[in-house]
Amino acid sequence: MDNAINNKIFGPVMIGGIKFSSNVLMAPLAGYTCFPFRLMVKELGAGSAYTEMVSADALKYNDRATHNLLYTDDREKLKCVQLLGAVPETFEKAAKSGLLEKFDVIDINMGCPVPNVIKSGEGCALMDDIPRASKIIEACKRSGKVVSIKCRVGMNKKRIVIEEFARMCEVSGADMITVHGRTRDMMYDGEPLFDLIKLAKDSVNIPVFANGGIDSKEKAYEMMRQTGADGIMLARYGFENPILFSELTGREITDTKAGLLLKQLDIANECFDELYVLTYVKKLASYFMKKMPGTKQYKLELYKCGSVSELRKLIEEIFRVNG
Ligand SMILES: Cc1cc2nc3c(=O)[nH]c(=O)nc-3n(C[C@H](O)[C@H](O)[C@H](O)COP(=O)(O)O)c2cc1C
């Protein structure tokens, strides 16, 4: 399919009065969607990219971990943060806090399926408590920021609540909903339930984005066709292969893979401590090398690198040899 058609399906979109440069978004991914990564995917065509989930309650500690999660600066044009929590008042405090002042959009995590999160009444547990979920959205909206929701389709196949839930989001003031088309008990496996994402789309007038299992251009078109969604959100495969953003949006790539990686190393090095830089860039580099033949030895060497300068030399060598 050529870019003319791409651009028709994947183009700019307005959400809560803000123009997103494309309707292909990067999901929050804990441990992955740090500031340098968000900058890279936006350069490659992503309309926005979210911080990983940040505990609304833990903002009060204002520690190094929170600082790293919330790091952003003027290079990031549209700033989107995701909050996780259970208590409306805690969300209101967080949304109005100085730590989030720079962020334009607050996304509320109503989809995390992890047992500890569910036990605390956070993440996907909110799909089982619609009145409380509504109060949380209203609390965040009082900050005056654009508020989006990321949810699933229900807790399990017997408790599919997406229609009622999507309506509640709209009535409570949400500006956009992203539906991960799996139930909580599916965790991250199995085919997303396209018809239930479509049900959400057909139930509300605010934009609905579709998420789950999009790992190629073909899957992206299929998701759009089957759900009628206003856009898509890439997650695991957006990290594994960020070039997909450029393939979908037609945004030209000006860097080689090595160039992209070295830029990531430089930006991360400006913003974070060495341990953080090494952990992040090694993860990214190993995904970039995934489909390169003969890189097994290099992968071992990658994990042994103990400094940023060693890592830089190794990346230069790997990609000089492997293109
Ligand atoms: C390692 C990992 C971390 C994740 N972290 C978050 C998160 O912080 N917030 C969130 O809303 N979803 C998170 N998710 C869920 C993804 O955003 C996405 O909804 C899910 O992976 C389905 O999309 P995919 O099949 O395209 O990966 C995470 C998923 C994985 C695998």
Side-chain angles (χ1 to χ4, degrees), residues 62-78:
N62 195 8
D63 55 8
R64 178 180 284 269
T66 309
H67 175 266
N68 286 345
L69 295 179
L70 293 178
Y71 185 89
T72 181
D73 64 35
D74 289 347
R75 285 171 285 184
E76 187 170 32
K77 295 297 170 234
L78 175 59

Side-chain angles (χ1 to χ4, degrees), residues 26-33 50-54 82-84 107-114 149-152 178-182 187-190 192 210-215 223 233-238 287:
M26 180 65 210
L29 275 184
Y32 296 88
T33 48
Y50 291 83
T51 69
E52 64 178 85
M53 56 185 172
V54 179
Q82 190 191 56
L83 292 179
L84 177 81
D107 187 76
I108 308 173
N109 184 323
M110 299 197 180
C112 184
V114 174
I149 310 301
K150 186 158 174 286
C151 63
R152 291 187 175 233
T178 302
V179 183
H180 174 188
R182 297 183 174 102
M187 302 299 279
Y188 298 103
D189 300 320
N211 164 246
I214 304 171
D215 61 359
M223 182 62 107
M233 185 181 265
L234 307 184
R236 285 170 289 183
Y237 311 102
Y287 277 118

Side-chain angles (χ1 to χ4, degrees), residues 1 3 11 20 70 79-80 92 101 109 124 151 159 184 218 228 256 271 290 314 316:
M1 222 175 275
N3 276 338
F20 284 46
L70 293 178
K79 300 176 173 61
C80 307
E92 182 157 356
E101 200 180 352
N109 184 323
C124 204
C151 63
R159 271 146 70 203
R184 185 243 161 173
E218 292 68 28
T256 58
C271 311
K290 222 174 173 181
L314 186 63
E316 284 167 349

